Coordinates of all heavy atoms in Angstrom, one line a residue:
M16 N 29.0 -39.9 -2.8 CA 28.2 -39.1 -2.0 C 26.8 -39.8 -1.9 O 26.3 -40.2 -2.9 CB 28.0 -37.7 -2.6 CG 27.3 -36.8 -1.7 SD 26.9 -35.1 -2.4 CE 28.5 -34.5 -2.8
S17 N 26.3 -39.9 -0.7 CA 25.0 -40.5 -0.5 C 23.9 -39.6 -0.9 O 24.1 -38.4 -1.0 CB 24.9 -41.0 0.9 OG 24.7 -39.9 1.8
R18 N 22.7 -40.1 -1.0 CA 21.5 -39.4 -1.4 C 21.2 -38.3 -0.3 O 20.9 -37.2 -0.6 CB 20.3 -40.3 -1.5 CG 19.1 -39.6 -1.9 CD 18.0 -40.7 -2.0 NE 16.7 -40.0 -2.0 CZ 15.9 -39.9 -3.1 NH1 16.3 -40.4 -4.3 NH2 14.8 -39.3 -3.1
K19 N 21.5 -38.7 1.0 CA 21.2 -37.8 2.1 C 22.2 -36.6 2.0 O 21.8 -35.4 2.2 CB 21.4 -38.5 3.4 CG 21.0 -37.7 4.6 CD 21.1 -38.5 5.9 CE 20.7 -37.6 7.0 NZ 20.7 -38.4 8.3
D20 N 23.4 -36.8 1.7 CA 24.4 -35.7 1.5 C 24.0 -34.7 0.4 O 24.1 -33.5 0.5 CB 25.8 -36.2 1.3 CG 26.3 -36.9 2.5 OD1 25.9 -36.7 3.6 OD2 27.2 -37.8 2.3
A21 N 23.5 -35.3 -0.7 CA 23.2 -34.4 -1.8 C 22.0 -33.6 -1.5 O 21.9 -32.4 -1.8 CB 22.8 -35.3 -3.0
T22 N 21.0 -34.1 -0.7 CA 19.8 -33.4 -0.4 C 20.2 -32.2 0.6 O 19.8 -31.1 0.5 CB 18.8 -34.3 0.3 OG1 18.5 -35.3 -0.6 CG2 17.5 -33.5 0.7
T23 N 21.1 -32.5 1.5 CA 21.5 -31.5 2.5 C 22.2 -30.4 1.8 O 22.0 -29.2 2.1 CB 22.4 -32.1 3.6 OG1 21.7 -33.2 4.2 CG2 22.8 -31.1 4.6
G24 N 23.1 -30.7 0.8 CA 23.8 -29.7 0.1 C 22.9 -28.8 -0.7 O 23.1 -27.6 -0.8
T25 N 21.8 -29.3 -1.3 CA 20.9 -28.6 -2.1 C 20.1 -27.6 -1.2 O 20.0 -26.4 -1.5 CB 19.9 -29.5 -2.8 OG1 20.7 -30.4 -3.6 CG2 19.0 -28.7 -3.7
R26 N 19.7 -28.0 0.0 CA 19.0 -27.1 0.9 C 19.8 -26.0 1.3 O 19.4 -24.8 1.4 CB 18.5 -27.9 2.1 CG 17.3 -28.8 1.8 CD 16.7 -29.4 3.0 NE 15.7 -30.4 2.7 CZ 15.5 -31.4 3.4 NH1 16.1 -31.6 4.5 NH2 14.6 -32.3 3.0
G27 N 21.1 -26.2 1.6 CA 21.9 -25.2 2.1 C 22.2 -24.1 1.0 O 22.4 -22.9 1.4
S28 N 22.2 -24.5 -0.2 CA 22.5 -23.5 -1.3 C 21.4 -22.7 -1.7 O 21.5 -21.8 -2.5 CB 23.1 -24.3 -2.5 OG 22.1 -25.1 -3.0
R29 N 20.2 -22.9 -1.2 CA 19.0 -22.1 -1.6 C 18.9 -20.8 -0.9 O 18.0 -20.0 -1.2 CB 17.7 -23.0 -1.4 CG 17.7 -24.1 -2.4 CD 16.5 -24.8 -2.3 NE 15.6 -24.1 -3.1 CZ 14.4 -24.5 -3.6 NH1 14.0 -25.7 -3.2 NH2 13.6 -23.8 -4.3
G30 N 19.7 -20.5 0.1 CA 19.6 -19.3 0.8 C 18.7 -19.2 1.9 O 18.5 -18.1 2.5
G31 N 18.0 -20.2 2.3 CA 17.1 -20.2 3.4 C 17.7 -20.7 4.7 O 18.8 -21.3 4.7
G32 N 17.0 -20.5 5.8 CA 17.4 -21.2 7.0 C 18.5 -20.6 7.8 O 18.5 -19.4 8.0
G33 N 19.4 -21.4 8.2 CA 20.4 -21.0 9.3 C 21.6 -20.3 8.9 O 22.6 -20.3 9.5
H34 N 21.6 -19.5 7.8 CA 22.8 -18.7 7.4 C 22.6 -17.3 8.1 O 22.1 -16.4 7.5 CB 22.9 -18.6 5.9 CG 23.1 -19.9 5.2 ND1 24.3 -20.5 5.3 CD2 22.3 -20.6 4.5 CE1 24.2 -21.6 4.6 NE2 23.0 -21.7 4.1
G35 N 23.1 -17.2 9.3 CA 22.9 -15.9 10.0 C 23.8 -14.8 9.5 O 23.5 -13.7 9.6
G36 N 24.9 -15.1 8.8 CA 25.8 -14.1 8.3 C 25.3 -13.5 7.0 O 25.8 -12.4 6.6
E37 N 24.4 -14.1 6.4 CA 23.9 -13.6 5.1 C 23.1 -12.3 5.2 O 23.3 -11.3 4.5 CB 23.0 -14.6 4.4 CG 23.0 -14.5 2.9 CD 22.3 -15.7 2.3 OE1 23.0 -16.7 2.3 OE2 21.2 -15.6 1.9
G38 N 22.2 -12.2 6.1 CA 21.4 -11.1 6.5 C 20.7 -10.3 5.3 O 20.2 -11.0 4.4
L39 N 20.8 -9.0 5.3 CA 20.1 -8.2 4.3 C 20.8 -8.3 3.0 O 20.1 -8.3 2.0 CB 20.2 -6.7 4.8 CG 19.5 -5.7 3.9 CD1 18.0 -6.0 3.9 CD2 19.7 -4.3 4.5
R40 N 22.1 -8.6 2.9 CA 22.8 -8.7 1.6 C 22.2 -9.8 0.8 O 22.1 -9.7 -0.4 CB 24.2 -8.9 1.9 CG 25.0 -9.0 0.6 CD 26.5 -9.1 0.9 NE 27.2 -8.1 0.2 CZ 28.5 -8.0 0.2 NH1 29.2 -8.7 1.1 NH2 29.1 -7.1 -0.5
G41 N 21.9 -10.9 1.4 CA 21.3 -12.0 0.6 C 19.9 -11.8 0.1 O 19.4 -12.4 -0.8
R42 N 19.2 -10.9 0.8 CA 17.8 -10.7 0.4 C 17.7 -9.6 -0.6 O 16.7 -9.5 -1.4 CB 17.0 -10.2 1.7 CG 16.8 -11.3 2.7 CD 15.9 -10.8 3.8 NE 15.8 -11.8 4.8 CZ 15.8 -11.6 6.1 NH1 16.0 -10.4 6.6 NH2 15.7 -12.6 6.9
L43 N 18.7 -8.7 -0.8 CA 18.7 -7.7 -1.8 C 19.3 -8.2 -3.1 O 20.5 -7.9 -3.3 CB 19.4 -6.4 -1.3 CG 18.6 -5.6 -0.2 CD1 19.4 -4.4 0.2 CD2 17.3 -5.2 -0.8
T44 N 18.6 -8.9 -3.9 CA 19.1 -9.4 -5.1 C 18.9 -8.2 -6.2 O 18.1 -7.3 -6.0 CB 18.3 -10.6 -5.6 OG1 16.9 -10.2 -5.8 CG2 18.3 -11.7 -4.6
P45 N 19.6 -8.3 -7.3 CA 19.5 -7.3 -8.3 C 18.0 -7.1 -8.8 O 17.5 -6.0 -9.1 CB 20.4 -7.8 -9.4 CG 21.4 -8.6 -8.7 CD 20.7 -9.2 -7.6
G46 N 17.3 -8.3 -8.9 CA 15.9 -8.2 -9.3 C 15.0 -7.5 -8.3 O 14.1 -6.7 -8.7
R47 N 15.2 -7.7 -7.0 CA 14.4 -7.0 -6.0 C 14.8 -5.5 -6.0 O 13.9 -4.7 -5.8 CB 14.7 -7.7 -4.7 CG 14.0 -9.0 -4.6 CD 14.2 -9.6 -3.2 NE 13.6 -10.9 -3.2 CZ 13.8 -11.8 -2.2 NH1 14.5 -11.5 -1.2 NH2 13.2 -13.0 -2.3
I48 N 16.0 -5.2 -6.1 CA 16.4 -3.8 -6.2 C 15.8 -3.1 -7.3 O 15.2 -2.0 -7.2 CB 18.0 -3.6 -6.2 CG1 18.6 -4.1 -4.9 CG2 18.4 -2.2 -6.5 CD1 20.1 -4.2 -4.9
A49 N 15.8 -3.7 -8.5 CA 15.2 -3.1 -9.7 C 13.7 -3.0 -9.5 O 13.1 -1.9 -9.9 CB 15.4 -4.0 -10.9
A50 N 13.0 -3.9 -8.9 CA 11.6 -3.8 -8.6 C 11.3 -2.7 -7.7 O 10.3 -2.0 -7.8 CB 11.1 -5.2 -8.0
L51 N 12.1 -2.5 -6.6 CA 11.9 -1.4 -5.7 C 12.1 0.0 -6.4 O 11.4 0.9 -6.1 CB 12.9 -1.5 -4.5 CG 12.5 -2.6 -3.5 CD1 13.7 -2.8 -2.5 CD2 11.2 -2.3 -2.8
V52 N 13.1 0.1 -7.3 CA 13.4 1.3 -8.0 C 12.2 1.6 -8.9 O 11.7 2.7 -9.0 CB 14.7 1.2 -8.8 CG1 14.8 2.4 -9.8 CG2 15.9 1.2 -7.8
V53 N 11.7 0.6 -9.6 CA 10.5 0.8 -10.6 C 9.3 1.2 -9.8 O 8.6 2.1 -10.1 CB 10.3 -0.4 -11.4 CG1 9.0 -0.4 -12.1 CG2 11.4 -0.6 -12.4
A54 N 9.1 0.5 -8.6 CA 7.9 0.9 -7.8 C 8.0 2.3 -7.3 O 7.1 3.1 -7.3 CB 7.8 -0.1 -6.6
G55 N 9.2 2.7 -6.8 CA 9.4 4.1 -6.4 C 9.2 5.1 -7.5 O 8.5 6.1 -7.3
L56 N 9.7 4.9 -8.7 CA 9.5 5.8 -9.8 C 8.1 5.8 -10.2 O 7.5 6.9 -10.6 CB 10.4 5.4 -11.0 CG 11.9 5.6 -10.8 CD1 12.7 5.0 -12.0 CD2 12.2 7.0 -10.6
T57 N 7.4 4.7 -10.1 CA 6.0 4.7 -10.4 C 5.2 5.5 -9.5 O 4.3 6.3 -9.9 CB 5.4 3.2 -10.4 OG1 6.2 2.5 -11.4 CG2 4.0 3.2 -10.7
L58 N 5.5 5.4 -8.2 CA 4.8 6.2 -7.2 C 5.1 7.7 -7.4 O 4.1 8.5 -7.2 CB 5.2 5.8 -5.8 CG 4.6 4.5 -5.3 CD1 5.2 4.0 -4.0 CD2 3.1 4.5 -5.3
V59 N 6.3 8.1 -7.7 CA 6.6 9.5 -8.0 C 5.8 10.0 -9.2 O 5.2 11.1 -9.1 CB 8.1 9.7 -8.2 CG1 8.4 11.1 -8.8 CG2 8.9 9.5 -7.0
F60 N 5.7 9.2 -10.2 CA 5.0 9.5 -11.4 C 3.5 9.7 -11.1 O 2.8 10.7 -11.5 CB 5.1 8.5 -12.5 CG 4.3 8.7 -13.7 CD1 4.6 9.6 -14.7 CD2 3.1 7.9 -13.9 CE1 3.8 9.8 -15.8 CE2 2.3 8.1 -15.0 CZ 2.7 9.0 -16.0
I61 N 3.0 8.8 -10.3 CA 1.5 8.8 -9.9 C 1.2 10.1 -9.2 O 0.3 10.8 -9.5 CB 1.2 7.6 -9.1 CG1 1.1 6.4 -10.0 CG2 -0.2 7.8 -8.4 CD1 0.9 5.0 -9.3
F62 N 2.0 10.4 -8.2 CA 1.7 11.6 -7.3 C 2.1 12.9 -7.9 O 1.7 14.0 -7.4 CB 2.2 11.4 -5.9 CG 1.5 10.3 -5.2 CD1 2.2 9.1 -4.9 CD2 0.2 10.4 -4.8 CE1 1.5 8.1 -4.2 CE2 -0.5 9.4 -4.2 CZ 0.2 8.2 -3.9
E63 N 2.8 12.9 -9.0 CA 3.1 14.2 -9.7 C 2.0 14.6 -10.6 O 1.9 15.7 -11.0 CB 4.4 14.0 -10.5 CG 5.6 14.0 -9.7 CD 5.9 15.3 -9.0 OE1 5.7 16.4 -9.6 OE2 6.3 15.3 -7.9
N64 N 1.1 13.7 -11.0 CA 0.0 13.9 -11.9 C -1.3 14.1 -11.0 O -2.0 13.2 -10.7 CB -0.2 12.8 -12.9 CG 0.9 12.7 -13.8 OD1 1.0 13.6 -14.7 ND2 1.8 11.8 -13.7
T65 N -1.6 15.4 -10.7 CA -2.7 15.7 -9.8 C -3.9 16.3 -10.4 O -4.9 16.6 -9.8 CB -2.2 16.6 -8.6 OG1 -1.6 17.8 -9.2 CG2 -1.1 15.9 -7.8
Q66 N -3.8 16.7 -11.7 CA -4.9 17.3 -12.4 C -6.1 16.4 -12.4 O -6.0 15.2 -12.4 CB -4.5 17.8 -13.8 CG -4.2 16.8 -14.8 CD -2.8 16.3 -14.8 OE1 -2.0 16.6 -13.8 NE2 -2.4 15.7 -15.8
K67 N -7.3 17.0 -12.6 CA -8.5 16.2 -12.7 C -8.7 15.7 -14.1 O -8.5 16.5 -15.0 CB -9.7 17.0 -12.2 CG -9.7 17.3 -10.7 CD -11.0 17.6 -10.2 CE -10.9 17.9 -8.7 NZ -11.4 16.9 -7.9
V68 N -9.2 14.5 -14.2 CA -9.5 13.9 -15.6 C -10.8 13.2 -15.5 O -11.3 12.8 -14.5 CB -8.4 12.9 -16.0 CG1 -7.1 13.6 -16.2 CG2 -8.3 11.8 -15.0
E69 N -11.4 13.1 -16.7 CA -12.7 12.4 -16.9 C -12.3 11.0 -17.3 O -11.6 10.7 -18.3 CB -13.6 13.0 -17.9 CG -14.2 14.3 -17.4 CD -15.2 14.9 -18.4 OE1 -15.3 14.3 -19.5 OE2 -15.8 15.9 -18.1
I70 N -12.9 10.0 -16.6 CA -12.7 8.6 -16.9 C -14.0 7.9 -17.1 O -14.9 8.1 -16.3 CB -11.8 7.9 -15.8 CG1 -10.5 8.5 -15.7 CG2 -11.7 6.4 -16.1 CD1 -9.7 8.0 -14.6
R71 N -14.1 7.1 -18.2 CA -15.4 6.4 -18.4 C -15.2 5.0 -17.8 O -14.4 4.2 -18.2 CB -15.7 6.3 -19.9 CG -17.0 5.6 -20.2 CD -17.3 5.6 -21.7 NE -17.3 6.9 -22.2 CZ -18.4 7.7 -22.2 NH1 -19.5 7.3 -21.6 NH2 -18.4 8.9 -22.8
L72 N -16.1 4.7 -16.8 CA -16.1 3.4 -16.2 C -17.3 2.7 -16.7 O -18.4 2.8 -16.2 CB -16.2 3.5 -14.6 CG -15.0 4.2 -14.0 CD1 -15.3 4.4 -12.5 CD2 -13.8 3.4 -14.1
L73 N -17.1 1.9 -17.8 CA -18.2 1.2 -18.5 C -19.2 2.2 -19.0 O -19.1 2.7 -20.1 CB -18.8 0.1 -17.7 CG -17.9 -1.0 -17.3 CD1 -18.6 -2.0 -16.4 CD2 -17.3 -1.7 -18.5
I74 N -20.2 2.7 -18.2 CA -21.2 3.6 -18.7 C -21.0 5.0 -18.1 O -20.9 6.0 -18.8 CB -22.6 3.1 -18.4 CG1 -22.8 1.8 -19.2 CG2 -23.6 4.1 -18.8 CD1 -24.1 1.1 -19.0
P75 N -20.8 5.2 -16.7 CA -20.8 6.5 -16.2 C -19.4 7.1 -16.5 O -18.4 6.5 -16.6 CB -20.9 6.3 -14.7 CG -20.5 4.9 -14.4 CD -20.8 4.1 -15.7
V76 N -19.4 8.5 -16.5 CA -18.2 9.2 -16.7 C -17.9 9.8 -15.3 O -18.7 10.5 -14.7 CB -18.3 10.4 -17.7 CG1 -17.0 11.2 -17.7 CG2 -18.6 9.8 -19.1
V77 N -16.7 9.6 -14.8 CA -16.3 10.0 -13.5 C -15.1 11.0 -13.6 O -14.2 10.8 -14.4 CB -15.8 8.8 -12.6 CG1 -15.4 9.2 -11.2 CG2 -16.9 7.7 -12.6
T78 N -15.2 12.1 -12.8 CA -14.1 13.1 -12.8 C -13.3 12.9 -11.5 O -13.9 13.1 -10.4 CB -14.6 14.5 -12.9 OG1 -15.4 14.6 -14.1 CG2 -13.5 15.5 -12.9
I79 N -12.1 12.5 -11.6 CA -11.3 12.2 -10.4 C -9.8 12.7 -10.7 O -9.5 12.9 -11.9 CB -11.2 10.7 -10.0 CG1 -10.6 9.9 -11.1 CG2 -12.6 10.3 -9.6 CD1 -10.4 8.4 -10.7
P80 N -9.1 13.0 -9.7 CA -7.6 13.3 -9.9 C -6.9 12.1 -10.6 O -7.2 11.0 -10.3 CB -7.1 13.5 -8.5 CG -8.3 13.8 -7.6 CD -9.4 13.0 -8.2
L81 N -6.0 12.5 -11.5 CA -5.3 11.5 -12.3 C -4.5 10.5 -11.4 O -4.5 9.3 -11.7 CB -4.4 12.1 -13.3 CG -3.6 11.2 -14.2 CD1 -4.6 10.3 -15.0 CD2 -2.8 12.0 -15.2
Y82 N -4.0 11.0 -10.3 CA -3.2 10.2 -9.4 C -4.0 9.0 -8.8 O -3.5 7.9 -8.6 CB -2.4 11.0 -8.3 CG -3.3 11.5 -7.2 CD1 -3.5 10.7 -6.1 CD2 -3.8 12.7 -7.3 CE1 -4.3 11.2 -5.0 CE2 -4.6 13.2 -6.2 CZ -4.8 12.4 -5.1 OH -5.6 12.9 -4.1
L83 N -5.3 9.3 -8.5 CA -6.1 8.2 -8.0 C -6.4 7.1 -9.1 O -6.4 5.9 -8.8 CB -7.5 8.8 -7.5 CG -7.4 9.5 -6.2 CD1 -8.8 10.1 -5.8 CD2 -6.9 8.7 -5.1
A84 N -6.6 7.6 -10.3 CA -6.8 6.6 -11.4 C -5.5 5.8 -11.6 O -5.6 4.5 -11.8 CB -7.2 7.3 -12.7
L85 N -4.4 6.4 -11.6 CA -3.1 5.7 -11.8 C -2.8 4.8 -10.6 O -2.4 3.7 -10.8 CB -2.0 6.7 -12.0 CG -2.0 7.5 -13.3 CD1 -0.9 8.7 -13.2 CD2 -1.7 6.6 -14.5
L86 N -3.1 5.3 -9.4 CA -2.8 4.5 -8.2 C -3.7 3.2 -8.2 O -3.3 2.1 -7.9 CB -3.1 5.3 -7.0 CG -2.7 4.6 -5.6 CD1 -1.2 4.3 -5.6 CD2 -3.0 5.5 -4.5
G87 N -5.0 3.4 -8.6 CA -5.9 2.3 -8.7 C -5.5 1.3 -9.7 O -5.5 0.0 -9.5
T88 N -5.0 1.7 -10.9 CA -4.5 0.9 -11.9 C -3.3 0.1 -11.5 O -3.1 -1.1 -11.7 CB -4.2 1.7 -13.2 OG1 -5.4 2.4 -13.6 CG2 -3.8 0.8 -14.3
W89 N -2.4 0.8 -10.7 CA -1.2 0.2 -10.2 C -1.5 -0.9 -9.2 O -0.9 -2.0 -9.3 CB -0.3 1.3 -9.6 CG 1.1 0.8 -9.1 CD1 2.0 0.2 -9.9 CD2 1.6 0.9 -7.8 NE1 3.1 0.0 -9.2 CE2 2.9 0.4 -7.9 CE3 1.1 1.4 -6.6 CZ2 3.8 0.3 -6.8 CZ3 2.0 1.3 -5.5 CH2 3.3 0.8 -5.6
V90 N -2.5 -0.7 -8.3 CA -2.9 -1.7 -7.3 C -3.5 -2.9 -8.0 O -3.2 -4.0 -7.7 CB -3.8 -1.0 -6.3 CG1 -4.5 -2.1 -5.4 CG2 -3.1 0.0 -5.4
V91 N -4.4 -2.7 -9.0 CA -5.0 -3.8 -9.7 C -4.0 -4.6 -10.4 O -4.0 -5.8 -10.4 CB -6.1 -3.3 -10.6 CG1 -6.6 -4.4 -11.6 CG2 -7.3 -2.7 -9.8
G92 N -3.0 -3.9 -11.1 CA -1.9 -4.6 -11.8 C -1.1 -5.4 -10.8 O -0.7 -6.6 -11.1
G93 N -0.8 -4.9 -9.6 CA 0.0 -5.6 -8.6 C -0.7 -6.8 -8.1 O -0.1 -7.9 -7.9
L94 N -2.0 -6.7 -7.9 CA -2.8 -7.8 -7.4 C -2.9 -8.9 -8.5 O -2.8 -10.1 -8.2 CB -4.2 -7.4 -7.0 CG -4.3 -6.5 -5.8 CD1 -5.8 -6.0 -5.6 CD2 -3.9 -7.3 -4.6
C95 N -3.0 -8.5 -9.7 CA -3.0 -9.5 -10.8 C -1.7 -10.2 -10.9 O -1.6 -11.5 -11.1 CB -3.4 -8.9 -12.2 SG -5.1 -8.3 -12.3
G96 N -0.6 -9.5 -10.8 CA 0.7 -10.1 -10.9 C 1.0 -11.0 -9.7 O 1.6 -12.1 -9.9
A97 N 0.5 -10.6 -8.5 CA 0.7 -11.5 -7.3 C -0.1 -12.8 -7.5 O 0.4 -13.9 -7.1 CB 0.3 -10.7 -6.1
Y98 N -1.3 -12.6 -8.0 CA -2.2 -13.8 -8.2 C -1.5 -14.8 -9.2 O -1.4 -16.0 -9.0 CB -3.5 -13.4 -8.7 CG -4.4 -14.5 -9.1 CD1 -5.0 -15.3 -8.1 CD2 -4.7 -14.8 -10.4 CE1 -5.8 -16.4 -8.4 CE2 -5.5 -15.9 -10.7 CZ -6.1 -16.7 -9.8 OH -6.9 -17.7 -10.1
L99 N -1.0 -14.3 -10.3 CA -0.4 -15.1 -11.3 C 0.9 -15.7 -10.8 O 1.2 -16.9 -11.1 CB -0.2 -14.3 -12.6 CG -1.4 -13.9 -13.4 CD1 -1.1 -13.0 -14.5 CD2 -2.2 -15.1 -13.8
S100 N 1.6 -15.0 -10.0 CA 2.9 -15.5 -9.4 C 2.6 -16.6 -8.5 O 3.3 -17.7 -8.5 CB 3.6 -14.4 -8.7 OG 4.7 -14.9 -8.1
C101 N 1.5 -16.5 -7.7 CA 1.2 -17.6 -6.7 C 0.7 -18.8 -7.5 O 1.0 -19.9 -7.1 CB 0.1 -17.1 -5.8 SG 0.7 -16.0 -4.5
R102 N 0.0 -18.6 -8.5 CA -0.5 -19.8 -9.3 C 0.6 -20.5 -10.0 O 0.7 -21.7 -10.0 CB -1.5 -19.3 -10.4 CG -2.8 -18.9 -9.8 CD -3.9 -18.9 -10.9 NE -3.9 -20.2 -11.6 CZ -4.8 -20.5 -12.6 NH1 -5.6 -19.6 -12.9 NH2 -4.7 -21.6 -13.2
R103 N 1.6 -19.7 -10.5 CA 2.7 -20.4 -11.1 C 3.6 -21.2 -10.1 O 4.0 -22.3 -10.4 CB 3.6 -19.3 -11.8 CG 4.7 -20.0 -12.6 CD 5.6 -19.0 -13.4 NE 5.0 -17.7 -13.7 CZ 5.7 -16.6 -13.9 NH1 7.0 -16.6 -13.9 NH2 5.1 -15.5 -14.1
R104 N 3.8 -20.6 -8.9 CA 4.5 -21.3 -7.9 C 3.8 -22.5 -7.4 O 4.5 -23.6 -7.2 CB 4.7 -20.3 -6.7 CG 6.1 -20.3 -6.2 CD 6.3 -19.3 -5.1 NE 6.3 -18.0 -5.5 CZ 5.7 -17.0 -4.9 NH1 5.1 -17.2 -3.8 NH2 5.7 -15.8 -5.4
N105 N 2.5 -22.5 -7.3 CA 1.8 -23.7 -6.9 C 1.7 -24.7 -8.0 O 1.6 -25.9 -7.7 CB 0.3 -23.3 -6.5 CG 0.3 -22.5 -5.2 OD1 1.2 -22.6 -4.4 ND2 -0.7 -21.7 -5.0
D106 N 1.8 -24.3 -9.3 CA 1.7 -25.3 -10.4 C 3.0 -26.1 -10.4 O 3.0 -27.2 -10.9 CB 1.5 -24.6 -11.7 CG 0.1 -24.1 -11.8 OD1 -0.8 -24.5 -11.1 OD2 -0.2 -23.3 -12.7
R107 N 4.1 -25.5 -10.0 CA 5.4 -26.2 -10.0 C 5.5 -27.4 -9.0 O 6.3 -28.3 -9.2 CB 6.5 -25.3 -9.7 CG 6.8 -24.3 -10.9 CD 8.0 -23.4 -10.5 NE 8.0 -22.3 -11.4 CZ 8.8 -21.2 -11.3 NH1 9.6 -21.2 -10.2 NH2 8.8 -20.3 -12.1
R108 N 4.7 -27.3 -8.0 CA 4.8 -28.3 -6.9 C 4.2 -29.6 -7.3 O 3.6 -30.0 -8.0 CB 4.1 -27.8 -5.7 CG 4.9 -26.7 -5.0 CD 4.2 -26.2 -3.8 NE 4.8 -25.0 -3.4 CZ 4.4 -24.4 -2.3 NH1 3.5 -24.8 -1.6 NH2 5.0 -23.3 -1.9

């Protein structure tokens, strides 16, 4: 097998490009399904907790609904995870 044939075979097996028959089934991997389930359960947990709580932000004490504090923490965690994921992907190149 020539070098060109090996390269073409590798590209085809990565799941990108011209595989029209793959569709949604190829995109829904077990890891992505698990992430969607965890995200859904997290959102249910966040919006079920509606009581007001006191939170200390460095010096001031703020009284806000617990779901806003949880939602803010979830968003910050997601942004940190996305940032670290992008850095790791760029480091491999």
Side-chain angles (χ1 to χ4, degrees):
M16 184 184 307
S17 71
R18 179 180 167 108
K19 186 175 182 181
D20 291 337
T22 304
T23 305
T25 303
R26 284 187 190 152
S28 66
R29 294 187 81 164
H34 296 289
E37 202 169 289
L39 185 62
R40 182 178 229 178
R42 292 185 182 137
L43 286 179
T44 63
R47 289 182 181 169
I48 292 171
L51 288 173
V52 168
V53 168
L56 291 173
T57 301
L58 287 173
V59 168
F60 174 76
I61 287 171
F62 290 112
E63 287 294 320
N64 290 288
T65 57
Q66 66 272 17
K67 293 200 182 254
V68 293
E69 288 185 354
I70 298 174
R71 182 176 305 274
L72 298 172
L73 297 177
I74 295 174
V76 175
V77 180
T78 303
I79 60 172
L81 181 57
Y82 74 89
L83 287 178
L85 292 170
L86 187 61
T88 304
W89 187 58
V90 168
V91 169
L94 290 173
C95 289
Y98 174 73
L99 293 174
S100 175
C101 284
R102 285 199 54 180
R103 187 179 334 158
R104 229 179 285 138
N105 289 337
D106 288 345
R107 289 184 194 167
R108 291 181 190 179

